[in-house]
Amino acid sequence: MVHKFPDDFVWGTATAAYQIEGAANEDGRGESIWDRFSHIPGNVWNNQNGDVACDHYHRYKEDVQILKEMGVKGYRFSISWPRVIPDGTGKINQKGVDFYNNLIDELLRQGIQPFVTLYHWDLPQALQDRGGWTNRDTTDYFAEYAQQMFKQYGDRVKHWITHNEPWCTSFLGHAIGVHAPGLKDFSAALLAAHNVLLSHGKAVEVFRQMGLDGKIGITLNLTPSYPASNSADDLQAATISDGFSNRWFLDPVFKGQYPDDMVKVFGTFAKIPEIQESDMKLISSNIDFLGINYYSRSLVKHNPDAQFGVETLKPEGQYTDMDWEVYPQGLYDLLLRIKKDYGDIDLYITENGAAFKDVVENDQIDDIDRLNYLKKHFEKAAEAIRDGVKLKGYFVWSLMDNFEWAFGYSKRFGLIYVDYETQRRLWKKSARWYKDVIANNSVD
Ligand SMILES: N#[N+]C[C@@H]1[C@@H](O)[C@H](O)[C@@H](O)[C@@H]2O[C@H]12
């Protein structure tokens, strides 16, 4: 069966600055929390870091040429805050600003729409030294940074994403500790989450005040939660899992309040952040689209001995190299749920993709598992559009293999294979297939 997509559907790929750029100490770039975190032994697989990564800073024209050959309509990338404002506030680094000017101009020359993420986890270390996201002042520094970026690029960039995955920024970085800045304090994570959301609201306010021609949104990583049975306990476990993974961010952004049930759950063991009067109004400022990063689902059951009384199960099925279940139906269910519970807003899949072990033979990479993962998810996206969801685009994670955070370079998500020894880029089978999907605007 052929799954057709709307004529104006934005097929794209996504990346992030710290994961691909390299040039960590070049042209005036300031230190980020990921430079600091990745250089601390034990934090990243094989003590790897993003000092060189995919050397995109020097190879961006080659990479844009790949995007052109792939035929993408849009390219989602992030700006490295410390590359453009090394201390996080104040002085601009013109060489850093010029890099993104050149990248944006190259994309537009090739007929590719830039989708720009302002924050993809690389906070300037100078701001972390003042408390980072647990310091409310950082919300103002972020608004200042956003205003500068709107001023520099707002004439050419028409789609802005304030934050990428606030859940990860907050909980992986401040509660679980496997991401920068590596804290293990749930109260700090809740405070960071609030300040990240507040900074989002302040950036949207600045964007509106500047009267720019363009659209602004936020990207949330969302994980639909399914109960292992219809027992009351398992249904409650799925509700709590949904609250922790999804509603803690969806409700403030779209409803202007934190979910009461989760305030009670978190309040039993952590400090709920103090909320100032205008905070929730700012956080729930009207946005033009929601970016959704979808990778898999959670299947859960009640377990009184587990965190929040929720045990995540591992059902039979196919798993990616990240040990994530391949569950395309979850994408369909999630998209319909967002429309039902949060409104009929424009949606973009700002990330979806899979890591599988890639084998290079005679410069060929037959990544059929990744191709089939994408095919199944594209089909579910088409079904969601058929059933009324305003899905406007789909960005495959990722354009190329890159620095996978605490996993270093051990996990490959790319459509394009990167030989890190030589920086050669090689098209995988999935990339050539994706090129045809885009050209036909359909999945067969
Ligand atoms: N893990 N994993 C792959 C991918 C990660 O590389 C991105 O930076 C994040 O936005 C999101 O977690 C998804």
Side-chain angles (χ1 to χ4, degrees):
M1 178 186 175
V2 177
H3 293 76
K4 279 295 285 174
F5 284 80
D7 290 345
D8 58 355
F9 196 72
V10 180
W11 291 105
T13 65
T15 64
Y18 188 77
Q19 295 182 268
I20 67 167
E21 286 180 5
N25 303 299
E26 201 166 320
D27 287 345
R29 177 183 177 278
E31 184 184 17
S32 78
I33 58 174
W34 266 95
D35 296 289
R36 183 68 61 89
F37 186 78
S38 64
H39 280 263
I40 297 169
N43 281 342
V44 176
W45 184 82
N46 254 10
N47 293 326
Q48 294 178 336
N49 57 60
D51 287 0
V52 176
C54 306
D55 195 34
H56 176 72
Y57 185 78
H58 300 109
R59 298 167 187 269
Y60 73 92
K61 284 192 177 177
E62 174 190 353
D63 293 332
V64 173
Q65 194 51 43
I66 290 171
L67 290 165
K68 173 71 177 173
E69 287 167 21
M70 201 175 280
V72 301
K73 311 299 181 196
Y75 172 56
R76 177 185 175 229
F77 64 94
S78 77
I79 292 175
S80 167
W81 185 349
R83 192 178 291 285
V84 293
I85 307 178
D87 295 329
T89 176
K91 196 171 175 309
I92 294 279
N93 173 33
Q94 193 55 47
K95 285 187 174 179
V97 167
D98 289 346
F99 169 69
Y100 298 106
N101 266 319
N102 295 334
L103 173 59
I104 289 163
D105 291 345
E106 189 66 21
L107 288 165
L108 293 173
R109 251 194 298 278
Q110 303 301 342
I112 299 167
Q113 298 175 57
F115 280 61
V116 175
T117 306
L118 288 169
Y119 189 76
H120 203 125
W121 305 352
D122 45 359
L123 186 75
Q125 182 61 44
L127 298 185
Q128 186 62 39
D129 294 344
R130 304 186 197 183
W133 289 112
T134 64
N135 178 353
R136 189 181 172 96
D137 293 347
T138 303
T139 68
D140 294 316
Y141 301 138
F142 182 78
E144 172 197 343
Y145 157 59
Q147 184 176 39
Q148 275 295 345
M149 296 304 100
F150 297 150
K151 200 171 96 185
Q152 294 287 348
Y153 311 119
D155 59 326
R156 289 158 287 161
V157 173
K158 303 305 177 189
H159 293 85
W160 294 90
I161 294 163
T162 56
H163 278 277
N164 177 76
E165 301 196 349
W167 190 97
C168 291
T169 301
S170 313
F171 293 113
L172 292 185
H174 295 79
I176 301 164
V178 294
H179 276 198
L183 300 181
K184 296 182 180 178
D185 176 341
F186 204 92
S187 299
L190 294 177
L191 180 57
H194 185 71
N195 286 332
V196 167
L197 287 170
L198 183 58
S199 74
H200 156 76
K202 289 184 176 181
V204 173
E205 185 181 56
V206 164
F207 184 79
R208 301 296 186 212
Q209 286 168 347
M210 291 175 74
L212 288 163
D213 165 30
K215 296 179 186 295
I216 192 165
I218 189 171
T219 278
L220 302 178
N221 53 303
L222 300 174
T223 306
S225 301
Y226 298 79
S229 78
N230 285 329
S231 73
D233 280 347
D234 286 355
L235 290 170
Q236 177 59 7
T239 298
I240 290 174
S241 173
D242 178 53
F244 180 36
S245 297
N246 309 316
R247 291 184 289 116
W248 193 258
F249 295 93
L250 283 166
D251 284 20
V253 169
F254 289 102
K255 299 180 178 177
Q257 63 181 50
Y258 287 104
D260 287 340
D261 61 336
M262 298 313 296
V263 171
K264 291 191 182 74
V265 169
F266 293 157
T268 60
F269 65 92
K271 185 177 183 311
I272 302 297
E274 281 164 41
I275 297 168
Q276 295 186 19
E277 192 180 342
S278 61
D279 288 3
M280 300 316 289
K281 185 171 185 299
L282 264 174
I283 290 171
S284 58
S285 299
N286 181 46
I287 53 177
D288 302 302
F289 64 87
L290 173 67
I292 295 173
N293 289 358
Y294 173 78
Y295 286 93
S296 189
R297 67 159 175 176
S298 290
L299 180 70
V300 300
K301 75 171 191 177
H302 173 67
N303 176 344
D305 300 324
Q307 186 187 38
F308 312 139
V310 177
E311 180 184 343
T312 299
L313 304 174
K314 192 169 177 188
E316 285 296 310
Q318 184 188 13
Y319 286 76
T320 71
D321 198 27
M322 294 294 285
D323 205 24
W324 296 345
E325 183 192 6
V326 177
Y327 194 73
Q329 184 61 35
L331 177 59
Y332 176 88
D333 295 343
L334 173 63
L335 291 169
L336 274 294
R337 183 266 175 105
I338 295 296
K339 178 181 178 179
K340 175 171 120 356
D341 293 350
Y342 295 96
D344 196 12
I345 187 172
D346 286 359
L347 302 176
Y348 289 89
I349 301 299
T350 37
E351 286 181 32
N352 172 253
F356 288 104
K357 295 205 183 308
D358 287 324
V359 176
V360 183
E361 283 182 6
N362 303 319
D363 280 358
Q364 303 297 314
I365 299 107
D366 186 12
D367 62 329
I368 194 66
D369 285 339
R370 181 176 293 107
L371 187 158
N372 285 329
Y373 175 100
L374 292 172
K375 183 174 187 296
K376 290 172 192 166
H377 286 81
F378 290 173
E379 289 169 349
K380 289 300 176 185
E383 289 170 21
I385 293 169
R386 176 203 63 199
D387 294 348
V389 170
K390 287 181 181 169
L391 183 63
K392 299 297 181 183
Y394 204 117
F395 294 82
V396 171
W397 185 271
S398 178
L399 165 63
M400 67 182 100
D401 299 332
N402 57 54
F403 178 76
E404 186 41 58
W405 309 111
F407 292 95
Y409 299 96
S410 67
K411 306 297 181 186
R412 293 179 178 269
F413 277 87
L415 291 162
I416 300 296
Y417 183 93
V418 176
D419 177 339
Y420 296 109
E421 295 297 316
T422 65
Q423 290 296 351
R424 266 201 326 157
R425 277 77 161 138
L426 293 173
W427 285 60
K428 302 179 189 178
K429 185 187 189 86
S430 61
R432 300 193 188 285
W433 170 81
Y434 189 43
K435 175 178 178 175
D436 290 343
V437 167
I438 298 171
N440 299 320
N441 198 29
S442 65
V443 179
D444 184 355

